[in-house]
């Protein structure tokens, strides 16, 4: 039996497919066949799949980068340069005095910028500002292309982007800055209105001539406030934004064609945008800007004014020093331009123009002045010195020179205010007789005090009324008067009138009467203004208004109060009128006004003063001696070619010239005085040297001993050494004029002076304080 392998059964339904096995064997080979390889240029050409993939990837990366930049980059604080501004100081009429600060910028509200000026800026820089987005990618791409192809550098930035660059970033040309600018602009547009952005842009853009912002540009090119610009001027300023230096036709006349082209482009754009009528456009003439002047700076009187105003603001708590230093304040002062110029002109005429470089002493001459409207308390003029860039110390506000005999009226006012009496019980009035003997010891309640001040040129007057003692500034009389009134009461009265309580050497001793205190010119002007205002004192101010970013700051308000009684103030005024009419202040008659005043000379002739007032104006002038190299106080002997300078000389002459100019055109007024009982002027004719209407000698009523001058150094009432007084000059023996017989008020040459003011305000070679005493040799 044979055994053969069993064959698999064939399914009868399966079709007969010859080569089936062969096909099965070849199928794996067909499944693994590779595509033809790319060769040649085909190898570097991406397939459509690659293009789509790369595009999607780039889009996701770009979108992610944009999202990251927008989320991560916050709006930064403004850069220091963008917020730095000048403080602007203005006269009361709104004209500019000075800018204080290196950056010439003053921000203004958009409402102050005329609509035509705003439209001009938009026409020149970004006509679609109000309708476009914060950034314009097409414009940026176009600008980049033009820059690359050599058509000039272009930014392609919208006004929003330019504002971001000016205010938040900087001017550097870097990709990083451009990226930041892009994102900050987008964010800013979501947080600020178009109006706010345009306002910021106008206040931060550079217009040339060191002018940042449209307000500074208006002053730099046309000398006016931005609100006063017309359409043509606004179009020129708008044109400058493109290239400030190139379009400044005053500085570069050769660039006039380029500037005209840009100006016309701006105006034509306004017409296109329906912001300007074609007829108006056709009639416009190019507004030639003014020449660029020198930097405003703080030269001349400007620096003194600025510092005085800043001291007032910080001293009265209006704004602290650090905040004020940040700038941006618009400060309207009380100063009146005409009066300010008049004061400077008077100083130049009577002092500065008379200095001679050949006289060494003339290098030491300095002048300070201040003028106040008594009714309002406004400081209307201030003279600080030769030039702020040469001498930084303000002579109007410094407190280091003795005020001399200009202090004496405060003693008289204190006597009337307090109803004071002499040692023997007589009520003190202007006609009360005192002993004017030179170096006469002051008597206190317990006898001699040891203080014996000398008179000017060591002259003895004998018995004379307080009126005449005031006319001729007799030290021995006023020292005794201060003792009779009470030095403490004298000090209190001076402080009430306006002398600061902290004034150096304002001590309650009899020497206070001679002006050893070192109040400033402005301090004294305030006190004299109180006398002129019938004893009423308010807030003396040099600032009228302060604003920042359109917001007005509150200024301190002090109600007017009666510092001394009207009778005390007016009685003092009546006596001081005599000083001008017939005494040491006759040079002030040149004002042509009814006036009251007092002269003063500091110890050693280091300063000479005149303080006076009319019903409308109180003004104090001081001529000081100071070494310009060391700052030490120097005597004024021989200065300006004069033997000596006293209060009745150049200071009174300056006062007269200034007052005449300051009040020119106004009707002259007389004082309306209400004097204390018994204080009516009883001055007898010149023949009676003692001021007694009856002509009798009241030797028994004199307020002190009659034993003549004391010997040896004088001492204070409490044993301490006290200065002999500002007017005790200790001149050589041959200098004082010889006694003149008779009772006439005469000059140093023996001629009668009458009521005619001596030349230059000085009484020839007579006694300082402008006059020669009546009856020099008289003794009680």
């Amino acid at each position: 039996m044979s055994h053969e392998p069993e064959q698999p059964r064939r399914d009868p339904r399966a079709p007969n497919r010859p080569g089936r096995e062969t096909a099965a064997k070849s199928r794996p080979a067909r499944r693994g066949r590779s595509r033809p390889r790319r060769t040649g240029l085909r190898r570097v050409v991406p397939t459509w799949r690659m293009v789509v993939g790369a595009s999607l990837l780039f889009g996701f990366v770009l979108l992610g980068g944009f999202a990251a930049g927008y989320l991560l980059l916050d709006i930064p604080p403004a850069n220091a340069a963008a917020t730095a501004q000048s403080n602007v100081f203005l006269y009361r009429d709104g004209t500019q005095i000075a800018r204080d600060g290196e950056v010439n910028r003053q921000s203004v509200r958009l409402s102050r910028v005329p609509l035509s000026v705003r439209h001009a800026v938009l026409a020149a820089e970004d006509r679609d500002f109000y309708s476009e987005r914060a950034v314009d990618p097409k414009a940026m791409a176009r600008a980049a292309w033009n820059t690359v192809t050599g058509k000039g550098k272009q930014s392609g930035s919208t006004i929003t982007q330019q504002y971001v660059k000016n205010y938040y970033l900087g001017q550097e040309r870097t990709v990083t800055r451009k990226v930041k600018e892009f994102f900050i602009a987008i964010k800013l547009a979501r947080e600020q209105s178009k109006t706010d952005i345009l306002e910021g842009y106008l206040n931060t853009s550079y217009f040339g001539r060191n002018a940042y912002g449209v307000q500074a540009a208006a002053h730099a090119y046309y000398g006016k406030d931005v609100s006063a610009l017309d359409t043509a001027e606004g179009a020129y300023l708008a044109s400058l934004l493109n290239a400030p230096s190139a379009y400044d036709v005053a500085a570069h006349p050769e660039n006039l064609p380029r500037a005209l082209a840009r100006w016309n482009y701006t105006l034509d754009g306004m017409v296109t945008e329906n912001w300007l009528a074609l007829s108006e456009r056709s009639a416009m003439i190019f507004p030639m800007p003014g020449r660029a002047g020198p930097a405003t700076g703080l030269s001349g009187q400007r620096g003194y004014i600025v510092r005085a105003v800043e001291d007032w603001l910080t001293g009265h708590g209006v704004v602290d020093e650090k905040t004020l230093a940040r700038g941006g304040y618009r400060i309207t002062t009380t100063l009146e331009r005409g009066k300010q110029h008049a004061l400077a002109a008077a100083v130049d005429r009577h002092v500065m123009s008379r200095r001679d470089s050949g006289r060494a002493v003339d290098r030491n001459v300095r002048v300070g002045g201040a003028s106040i409207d008594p009714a309002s308390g406004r400081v209307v003029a201030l003279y600080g010195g030769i030039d702020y860039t040469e001498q930084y110390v303000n002579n109007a506000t410094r407190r280091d020179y003795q005020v001399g005999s200009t202090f004496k009226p405060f003693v008289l006012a204190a006597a009337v205010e307090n109803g004071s009496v002499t040692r023997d019980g007589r009520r003190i009035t202007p006609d009360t007789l005192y002993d004017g003997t030179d170096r006469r010891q002051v008597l206190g309640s317990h006898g001699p005090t040891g203080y014996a001040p000398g008179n000017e040129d060591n002259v003895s007057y004998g018995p004379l009324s307080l009126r005449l003692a005031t006319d001729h500034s007799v030290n021995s009389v006023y020292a005794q008067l201060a003792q009779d009134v009470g030095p403490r009461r004298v000090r209190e009265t001076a402080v009430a009138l306006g002398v600061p309580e902290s004034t150096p050497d304002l001590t309650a001793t009899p020497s206070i009467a001679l002006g050893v205190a070192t109040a400033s010119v402005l301090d004294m002007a305030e006190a004299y203004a109180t006398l002129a205002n019938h004893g009423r004192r308010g807030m003396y101010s040099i600032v009228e208004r302060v604003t920042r970013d359109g917001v007005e700051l509150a200024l301190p308000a002090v109600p007017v109060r009666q510092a001394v009684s009207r009778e005390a103030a007016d009685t003092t005024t009546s006596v001081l009128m005599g000083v001008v009419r017939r005494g040491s202040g006759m040079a002030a008659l040149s004002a042509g006004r009814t006036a009251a005043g007092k002269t003063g000379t500091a110890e050693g002739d280091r300063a000479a003063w005149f303080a006076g007032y009319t019903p409308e104006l109180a003004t104090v002038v001081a001529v000081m001696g100071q070494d310009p190299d060391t700052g030490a106080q120097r005597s004024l002997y021989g200065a300006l070619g004069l033997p000596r300078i006293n209060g009745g000389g150049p200071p009174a002459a300056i006062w007269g010239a200034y007052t005449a100019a300051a009040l020119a055109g106004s009707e002259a007024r007389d004082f309306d005085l209400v004097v204390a009982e018994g204080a009516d002027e009883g001055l007898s004719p010149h023949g009676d040297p003692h001021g007694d209407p009856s002509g009798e000698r009241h030797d028994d009523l004199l307020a002190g001993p009659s034993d003549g001058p004391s010997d040896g150094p004088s001492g204070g009432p409490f044993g301490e050494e006290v200065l002999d007084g500002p007017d005790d000059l200790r001149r050589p023996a041959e200098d004082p004029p010889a006694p003149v017989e008779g009772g006439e008020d005469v000059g140093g040459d023996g001629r009668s002076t009458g009521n005619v003011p001596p030349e230059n305000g000085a009484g020839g070679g007579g006694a300082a304080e402008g006059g020669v005493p009546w009856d020099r040799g008289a003794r009680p």
Side-chain angles (χ1 to χ4, degrees), residues 354-355 359 361-365 623 635-645 650:
R354 298 187 179 187
R355 297 191 309 163
R359 285 191 298 265
V361 67
D362 282 3
R363 295 179 66 245
N364 302 332
V365 176
V623 178
S635 171
L636 291 168
Y637 286 128
L640 308 181
L642 301 173
R644 72 202 308 178
I645 290 183

Side-chain angles (χ1 to χ4, degrees), residues 55 95 97 127 164 183 234 238 244 246 255 285 425 514 518 595 638 650 661 675 732 759:
S55 298
T95 55
I97 300 173
R127 298 178 187 180
V164 168
F183 287 110
N255 291 337
I285 300 174
L514 278 59
T518 57
V675 299
E759 185 178 357

Side-chain angles (χ1 to χ4, degrees), residues 618-635:
T619 306
V620 176
V621 178
V623 178
M624 308 166 180
Q626 181 181 30
D627 189 310
D629 299 321
T630 66
Q633 295 186 14
R634 298 295 184 208
S635 171

Side-chain angles (χ1 to χ4, degrees), residues 349-350 354 471 579-580 582-590 598-601 608-610 640 642-657 745 747 753 755-772:
R349 174 184 173 189
H350 290 282
R354 298 187 179 187
D471 289 352
V579 176
V580 175
R582 60 183 173 264
S584 59
M586 292 174 67
L589 290 172
S590 61
K598 184 68 188 76
T599 56
T601 307
W609 296 67
F610 184 79
L640 308 181
L642 301 173
R644 72 202 308 178
I645 290 183
N646 52 56
I654 291 171
W655 187 95
D745 186 7
T753 61
N755 284 329
V756 180
E759 185 178 357
N760 295 330
E769 303 295 341
V772 177

Side-chain angles (χ1 to χ4, degrees), residues 81-133:
T83 56
Q85 298 184 58
S86 298
N87 288 324
V88 181
F89 298 81
L90 308 171
Y91 284 114
R92 190 163 178 254
D93 64 4
T95 55
Q96 183 172 306
I97 300 173
R99 290 178 180 273
D100 184 21
E102 297 179 0
V103 177
N104 183 15
R105 175 190 288 120
Q106 182 192 356
S107 296
V108 294
R109 293 292 181 91
L110 190 63
S111 58
R112 286 186 59 193
V113 182
L115 184 60
S116 62
V117 176
R118 289 180 252 167
H119 284 158
V121 171
L122 296 179
E125 293 295 307
D126 191 353
R127 298 178 187 180
D128 299 322
F129 170 71
Y130 279 105
S131 60
E132 70 188 0
R133 298 182 182 275

Side-chain angles (χ1 to χ4, degrees), residues 116-357:
S116 62
V117 176
R118 289 180 252 167
H119 284 158
V121 171
L122 296 179
E125 293 295 307
D126 191 353
R127 298 178 187 180
D128 299 322
F129 170 71
Y130 279 105
S131 60
E132 70 188 0
R133 298 182 182 275
V135 295
D136 187 350
K138 290 182 179 180
M140 295 173 64
R142 181 173 60 251
W145 175 256
N146 289 338
T147 302
V148 170
T149 57
K151 295 182 180 180
K153 292 183 177 180
Q154 299 182 18
S155 67
S157 298
T158 63
I159 278 182
T160 303
Q161 287 175 273
Q162 293 181 56
Y163 172 50
V164 168
K165 177 182 67 176
N166 294 338
Y167 193 73
Y168 296 104
L169 301 175
Q171 304 301 315
E172 66 274 7
R173 294 177 177 272
T174 63
V175 175
T176 301
R177 195 269 295 166
K178 199 68 179 176
V179 170
K180 289 181 179 179
E181 174 189 302
F182 181 87
F183 287 110
I184 294 173
I186 294 173
K187 272 196 168 183
L188 189 68
R190 297 176 65 88
E191 297 184 11
Q192 292 189 14
S193 68
K194 291 284 188 179
T195 298
D196 292 337
I197 292 172
L198 181 58
E199 179 180 295
Y201 173 72
L202 290 174
N203 284 321
T204 56
S205 296
Y206 182 60
F207 289 82
R209 296 191 181 184
N210 193 36
Y212 291 84
V214 68
Q215 170 75 326
H219 282 284
Y221 288 91
Y222 293 108
K224 60 176 68 174
D225 191 88
V226 64
S227 61
L229 291 174
D230 60 30
T231 303
E233 293 166 340
Y236 176 70
L237 294 184
S239 302
L240 290 169
L241 291 167
N242 185 257
S245 298
Y247 295 148
D248 188 345
V249 295
H252 303 284
E254 68 278 7
N255 291 337
L256 180 57
R258 294 179 59 192
L260 278 171
R262 184 69 180 175
W263 181 71
N264 285 319
Y265 166 80
T266 300
L267 290 175
D268 291 343
M270 295 179 68
V271 173
T272 300
E273 298 294 327
N274 294 320
W275 294 330
L276 179 65
L278 182 59
S279 58
E280 186 179 353
R281 161 72 181 95
S282 301
M284 284 187 181
I285 300 174
F286 181 74
M288 185 65 68
R291 284 195 165 274
T296 302
L298 298 179
S299 61
Q301 296 304 305
R302 290 187 290 265
Y304 301 120
I305 293 172
V306 166
R307 295 297 171 248
V309 170
E310 290 178 341
D311 289 345
W312 191 93
L313 289 172
T314 56
H316 286 80
V318 177
V319 60
D320 63 82
E321 187 174 355
K322 289 184 177 180
T323 303
L324 184 62
R326 296 191 188 115
Y329 290 93
R330 184 181 177 87
I331 303 164
T332 302
T333 71
T334 59
L335 299 176
E336 298 181 18
R337 183 172 48 164
K339 291 182 175 62
Q340 178 67 30
H341 293 170
L343 182 56
V347 172
D348 183 68
R349 174 184 173 189
H350 290 282
V351 174
M352 307 313 294
S353 64
R354 298 187 179 187
R355 297 191 309 163
D356 188 339
S357 58

Side-chain angles (χ1 to χ4, degrees), residues 508-531:
T509 64
S511 64
I512 194 174
L514 278 59
V516 294
T518 57
S520 73
V521 170
L522 184 56
D523 295 336
M524 296 299 286
E526 292 182 2
Y528 271 70
T530 303
L531 291 175

